[in-house]
Amino acid sequence: QVQLAESGGGLVQPGGSLRLSCAASGTIFNIYAMGWYRQAPGKQRELVATITSDGSTNYPDSVKGRFTISRDNAKDTVYLQMNSLKPEDTGVYYCNSDLQRTRWGARTIYWGQGTQVTVSS
């Protein structure tokens, strides 16, 4: 069993900052990549940031320069530092992970339950 536990969401004012955390727990052999997605009401889920096992990161233009993804391999945890938040950043943020549970198992993508981020005055 693998679980992704998300935390750090909340209500912030425009221009504020928020830091999200996602910790993977359970039987894990290797994590190849972790990332964050978000979904606003009435919209499709979209990529926010990803980070691979070698530290390579990827961001869409909408968050470049404002969001930073990082990873603590020892803790199997990924973070998302969000600065200069805008109302359009509002949504449910989901953590995901591309991982292998055992040496002989298949790579599988897991999702967290999501954490609400609301940017409003």
Side-chain angles (χ1 to χ4, degrees):
Q1 181 178 341
V2 174
Q3 182 179 9
L4 302 181
E6 299 147 320
S7 62
L11 174 64
V12 297
Q13 294 182 321
S17 298
L18 206 60
R19 190 192 192 203
L20 306 182
S21 299
C22 174
S25 61
T27 302
I28 301 173
F29 175 72
N30 189 42
I31 298 177
Y32 294 93
M34 298 188 75
W36 291 93
Y37 291 73
R38 68 186 180 189
Q39 186 169 22
K43 297 183 179 180
Q44 293 184 327
R45 187 175 299 185
E46 64 177 346
L47 172 70
V48 176
T50 60
I51 184 167
T52 62
S53 59
D54 64 357
S56 298
T57 58
N58 178 252
Y59 306 92
D61 290 340
S62 60
V63 307
K64 285 182 179 178
R66 300 188 300 118
F67 290 9
T68 302
I69 189 170
S70 60
R71 178 178 175 181
D72 186 336
N73 292 332
K75 298 180 179 180
D76 291 336
T77 300
V78 65
Y79 305 93
L80 183 67
Q81 179 66 47
M82 303 185 292
N83 299 324
S84 301
L85 284 163
K86 305 174 181 179
E88 51 263 43
D89 294 319
T90 295
V92 179
Y93 283 67
Y94 298 91
C95 174
N96 87 329
S97 179
D98 178 2
L99 61 82
Q100 186 178 8
R101 294 187 63 201
T102 66
R103 179 180 298 177
W104 304 276
R107 289 171 61 171
T108 306
I109 297 176
Y110 293 85
W111 290 89
Q113 292 184 327
T115 183
Q116 177 70 43
V117 172
T118 303
V119 184
S120 176
S121 298

